[in-house]
Amino acid sequence: MLFGEAERAKTGQVTLQGHAESDLVVEVVRAEALFDLPAADWDDLTAQALDPNPFYARPCLLAGLETLDRDTRLRALLVRTAAGQLVGLFPFRLGRLPPRVAVGAVNIYQMCGHPLIHRQFATQVTAHWFAAMRQGTIPRRWRFPHVDLESGFALLCGDYLQAANYDLTPLSSYPRPRLRRLPGGFEVHANTVLAKGRLKELQRTLRRLREAGEVQLERVERPEAVRQRIEDFLAIEHAGWKGEAGTSFLAHPEHARFLRAAVADNAGVSIDSLLLDGRPIALSINLQAGALMFTPKCAYDEAYRRFSPGLILEYLVIERFYASTDPEEMDAATTVGGHLVQGLWNEQRTIGMVLVGPLSPLTRGVAAGYRLGVSMRQRLRAALGDGLVALARRIRRHNPELWARVQSFGQMATCLVLYI
């Protein structure tokens, strides 16, 4: 039985060794074992990952396990060299209904689902992962949310699919803005990417803001400064519409605790602030791994709405981006259209939910079930309006177990149709 030894063993571990291509060791561990991983090994893997993912960095993942993900039965597939170097980390949860599907672990604040795979061992790690799936040591089907369909991970999977008689199926997709430097610098970007009218309006608004006081762009990286700005972010966000709607971090103490823990002593975190006379009126949280910086959260003081502080902050951040060489790219870390940076950033990537599994009617049923669930949610939203959406968000936020059952219903219904 899958994970039979793991569930009986005190440590919750199973091991796969001896794959012909190398001497890597694959093991499945329960969530609590992640707290015992050597910090230096995990941090090195995050820095050297084939696809940067700061949401799986040690501070962020452990912060989730101590707060939002504490009761979600998270596991992780670890891949090590014979010498013990950590070269692969695949956090996941098991679906609750058969067939067993491993679902890449994300909570509502994690906007990237790429596993951490050391770039120097990427081929071997992927080969071992496929071998473990084919042998049934781990689930034969894996669903990954928020995957860049042009990522190194997606391309590596493609190299193994045919030989393993597997398939990678995109289940859903959406565009996500990216910022990459154009030759010629900031002026070329501003005059070619931004619409002429929008550029003039931004420059006019910035002049008006400077007439109101001293304007400064601040980026803090030192832990004590980050902690202070996080408190400013929490207060500003809660004072605005998100606080009124009950969706701010401070509206839910466990969520605020997660954010504080995720950024505490996290070398990948920085905070950009638009300061007016030394006081922040807009802030953006940055998470960086390798050369890629994600910008998952922003907030602005609604008392200064007439100055569009969020847009002015983003405009100045782009100017700073061109004045430096680090990071190489920025990712908006959004899952919806209409984001603040659309029309300001110059590229977009296709991000999606993907299913990796054997070519079989059962895998097609799993994919069809997921799509059915998405379709049902869209239809219900259209029929019942935003009230149902708000209810779904409350369930997802406050009762992850019930949310998992709701998600599984579509999959179960489709499988029954296919096999009865």
Side-chain angles (χ1 to χ4, degrees):
M1 182 180 294
L2 186 63
F3 298 136
E5 293 182 27
E7 299 302 329
R8 291 193 299 269
K10 196 170 185 179
T11 61
Q13 299 181 0
V14 293
T15 302
L16 171 74
Q17 298 187 35
H19 189 268
E21 292 194 18
S22 70
D23 56 357
L24 297 186
V25 176
V26 178
E27 63 178 353
V28 175
V29 301
R30 296 192 185 106
E32 55 266 27
L34 295 176
F35 289 92
D36 298 326
L37 286 180
D41 286 1
W42 193 339
D43 294 346
D44 179 69
L45 174 60
T46 302
Q48 300 297 324
L50 176 68
D51 298 300
N53 185 355
F55 300 96
Y56 283 175
R58 179 173 50 86
C60 289
L61 202 59
L62 295 185
L65 292 176
E66 292 176 330
T67 55
L68 306 179
D69 303 318
R70 185 169 48 237
D71 301 320
T72 56
R73 302 190 306 164
L74 186 139
R75 294 178 170 87
L77 182 144
L78 307 180
V79 186
R80 294 188 178 92
T81 65
Q85 180 184 0
L86 184 66
V87 293
L89 173 62
F90 294 63
F92 71 95
R93 301 179 181 90
L94 283 178
R96 295 179 177 275
L97 296 174
R100 284 298 199 188
V101 176
V103 182
V106 292
N107 60 41
I108 62 173
Y109 301 118
Q110 293 171 320
M111 297 294 105
C112 183
H114 296 119
L116 295 182
I117 300 175
H118 198 293
R119 63 169 65 98
Q120 294 181 1
F121 297 86
T123 300
Q124 299 99 307
V125 170
T126 306
H128 277 66
W129 175 56
F130 268 92
M133 283 193 291
R134 295 178 67 186
Q135 295 174 18
T137 309
I138 59 176
R140 299 180 188 275
R141 296 165 184 85
W142 287 63
R143 179 158 56 86
F144 294 95
H146 306 309
V147 168
D148 184 341
L149 300 185
E150 301 174 18
S151 64
F153 172 63
L155 296 176
L156 263 181
C157 285
D159 293 341
Y160 286 89
L161 293 175
Q162 185 173 358
N165 201 30
Y166 267 54
D167 194 17
L168 185 150
T169 306
L171 301 175
S172 61
S173 65
Y174 61 91
R176 178 183 287 180
R178 275 280 184 101
L179 179 62
R180 184 181 298 208
R181 289 180 187 85
L182 295 176
F186 174 70
E187 286 191 13
V188 171
H189 181 104
N191 288 302
T192 58
V193 177
L194 278 67
K196 186 176 181 179
R198 192 175 198 186
L199 176 60
K200 286 185 176 180
E201 180 61 29
L202 279 170
Q203 293 171 338
R204 185 182 305 115
T205 304
L206 180 55
R207 286 195 298 269
R208 289 172 48 223
L209 184 60
R210 283 174 171 155
E211 291 170 358
E214 182 184 359
V215 176
Q216 180 184 358
L217 172 65
E218 172 199 73
R219 175 170 291 175
V220 297
E221 298 173 336
R222 292 181 295 107
E224 59 272 21
V226 167
R227 285 193 288 270
Q228 176 56 55
R229 287 301 182 221
I230 283 295
E231 295 305 316
D232 294 331
F233 171 89
L234 290 171
I236 287 176
E237 183 197 49
H238 191 62
W241 68 268
K242 286 189 177 181
E244 293 180 3
T247 59
S248 67
F249 280 96
L250 286 178
H252 308 280
E254 194 78 340
H255 293 237
R257 197 160 76 88
F258 163 77
L259 179 61
R260 291 179 175 123
V263 304
D265 301 318
N266 186 338
V269 173
S270 63
I271 309 293
D272 288 330
S273 301
L274 177 65
L275 305 182
L276 181 63
D277 291 333
R279 189 172 70 86
I281 61 172
L283 303 98
S284 177
I285 300 174
N286 307 316
L287 290 175
Q288 185 168 345
L292 180 60
M293 177 181 283
F294 292 77
T295 60
K297 285 293 176 181
C298 60
Y300 68 91
D301 189 334
E302 294 185 7
Y304 296 88
R305 182 194 297 272
R306 67 187 183 280
F307 294 111
S308 303
L311 280 171
I312 296 299
L313 172 61
E314 190 55 46
Y315 179 76
L316 296 178
V317 166
I318 296 172
E319 186 176 40
R320 178 193 175 102
F321 175 76
Y322 274 91
S324 65
T325 57
D326 183 46
E328 292 181 8
E329 295 183 65
M330 296 180 68
D331 185 302
T334 179
T335 62
V336 297
H339 189 271
L340 172 74
V341 300
Q342 287 182 328
L344 299 181
W345 288 13
N346 59 308
E347 289 191 2
Q348 68 179 26
R349 303 294 284 267
T350 301
I351 310 297
M353 175 84 73
V354 299
L355 177 68
V356 178
L359 289 167
S360 69
L362 189 55
T363 300
R364 290 194 294 272
V366 171
Y370 178 83
R371 294 193 184 103
L372 177 62
V374 171
S375 176
M376 289 173 62
R377 288 195 295 272
Q378 292 174 342
R379 289 172 181 269
L380 285 172
R381 179 172 183 170
L384 301 179
D386 292 336
L388 181 69
V389 176
L391 175 61
R393 286 175 177 167
R394 285 197 294 272
I395 294 173
R396 184 182 181 189
R397 186 181 288 263
H398 299 297
N399 196 330
E401 291 190 4
L402 177 57
W403 178 251
R405 292 176 183 175
V406 171
Q407 287 184 304
S408 298
F409 176 77
Q411 175 182 322
M412 178 182 67
T414 301
C415 288
L416 286 172
V417 170
L418 288 172
Y419 290 100
I420 293 178

